[in-house]
């Protein structure tokens, strides 16, 4: 996948898919390198994941509509702006998605939150659903689906399919790290879903792990093996 930087300093897919956005901000690149490091402790990994999710969140919410609103500052009356249109719903793909959910909630504390519980079958690498809890009014909300890794893409596809079945029609997928195979899988199944990530790595190994990657995001977030 060929990529280039646009005028804003973000990096977008060129020639393949303009709806795949890769962050190029120096802070994102710095924090992702620390996140990848095997020496990074569990507590530090959590902090970095939360900070990176905020940077990715700014990009994912770049095109939120706003409306004019009149307010009084301590000095005079002025016209400001506030969010308009559809409200937000953040959807975490369990369990690792919760590791970047809090950073998103720091940006939009009033957002509704949904959860899709999926685990990957170790033999088939296919997702198996074990939990689903979503707001009732998804058709009236923009959904931002969060999961630290986009590897094979199967879990992301399954989660987004369930959201669409529940009525969601405006969806963005945000991850910290992706493989081109996962992006291709997701975009083939859901070409209307924009993808925001901090990096695209070279590919997957025989076990479906991203290389060079950062290991198992869930284990590193929660201190498990």
């Amino acid at each position: 996948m060929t990529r280039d930087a646009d005028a804003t300093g973000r990096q977008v897919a060129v020639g393949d898919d303009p709806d795949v956005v890769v962050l190029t901000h120096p802070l994102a690149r710095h924090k992702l390198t620390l996140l990848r490091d095997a020496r990074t402790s569990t507590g530090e990994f959590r902090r970095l994941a939360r900070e990176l999710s905020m940077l990715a969140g700014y990009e994912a919410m770049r095109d939120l509509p706003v409306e004019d609103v009149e307010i009084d500052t301590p000095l005079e009356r002025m016209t400001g702006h506030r969010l308009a249109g559809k409200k937000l719903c953040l959807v975490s793909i369990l369990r690792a998605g919760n590791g970047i959910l809090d950073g998103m909630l720091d940006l939009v504390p009033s957002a509704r939150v949904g959860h899709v519980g999926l685990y990957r079958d170790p033999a088939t690498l296919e997702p198996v659903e074990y939990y689903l809890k979503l707001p009732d009014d998804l058709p009236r909300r923009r959904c931002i689906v969060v999961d630290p890794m986009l590897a094979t893409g199967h879990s992301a596809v399954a989660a987004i399919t369930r959201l669409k079945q529940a009525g969601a029609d405006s969806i963005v997928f945000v991850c910290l790290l992706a493989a081109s195979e996962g992006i291709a899988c997701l975009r083939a199944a859901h070409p209307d879903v924009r993808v925001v990530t901090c990096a695209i790595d070279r590919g997957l190994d025989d076990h479906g792990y991203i290389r060079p990657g950062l290991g198992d995001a869930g284990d590193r977030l929660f201190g498990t093996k």
Side-chain angles (χ1 to χ4, degrees):
M1 181 177 291
T2 304
R3 294 182 295 279
D4 201 356
D6 71 4
T8 67
R10 54 185 183 150
Q11 200 173 47
V12 299
V14 175
D16 286 333
D17 194 334
D19 285 327
V20 177
V21 179
V22 184
L23 304 187
T24 60
H25 194 289
L27 283 175
R29 292 154 68 185
H30 169 76
K31 292 177 185 296
L32 181 58
T33 297
L34 296 177
L35 198 74
R36 292 180 187 270
D37 195 327
R39 298 169 295 179
T40 297
S41 68
T42 297
E44 185 72 357
F45 191 95
R46 288 177 189 154
R47 183 183 65 80
L48 289 164
R50 184 172 185 149
E51 292 172 354
L52 272 169
S53 70
M54 293 181 69
L55 292 170
Y58 282 119
E59 180 57 45
M61 302 176 203
R62 172 183 292 273
D63 62 344
L64 291 179
V66 295
E67 61 185 6
D68 292 345
V69 57
E70 293 292 320
I71 63 168
D72 292 307
T73 78
L75 299 178
E76 64 183 57
R77 192 161 182 81
M78 65 160 285
T79 301
H81 303 94
R82 67 183 176 192
L83 293 178
K86 290 186 175 182
K87 303 302 183 182
L88 284 173
C89 177
L90 305 176
V91 180
S92 170
I93 299 180
L94 299 175
R95 63 180 171 146
N98 281 359
I100 60 175
L101 176 63
D102 286 345
M104 294 287 188
L105 284 171
D106 286 342
L107 296 178
V108 280
S110 62
R112 295 293 186 267
V113 176
H115 294 88
V116 181
L118 298 167
Y119 69 87
R120 187 170 63 174
D121 186 289
T124 66
L125 303 184
E126 293 293 328
V128 179
E129 182 181 310
Y130 64 88
Y131 183 78
L132 182 70
K133 188 71 173 180
L134 302 170
D136 294 331
D137 57 349
L138 282 189
R140 297 197 299 273
R141 296 184 180 274
R142 173 177 295 196
C143 294
I144 298 180
V145 182
V146 297
D147 196 358
M149 313 290 277
L150 180 59
T152 65
H154 297 156
S155 293
V157 167
I160 291 168
T161 298
R162 294 294 271 139
L163 289 180
K164 288 184 175 180
Q165 290 171 347
D169 59 6
S170 177
I171 303 171
V172 180
F173 182 83
V174 176
C175 60
L176 304 184
L177 197 57
S180 57
E181 295 95 327
I183 291 174
C185 177
L186 173 54
R187 295 289 290 149
H190 299 291
D192 57 325
V193 173
R194 187 159 55 100
V195 177
V196 177
T197 184
C198 296
I200 301 175
D201 277 8
R202 72 170 183 268
L204 303 176
D205 64 15
D206 292 340
H207 302 287
Y209 283 97
I210 299 175
R211 297 287 182 163
L214 50 77
D216 186 295
D219 285 344
R220 296 196 67 187
L221 280 163
F222 304 116
T224 56
K225 296 292 186 181

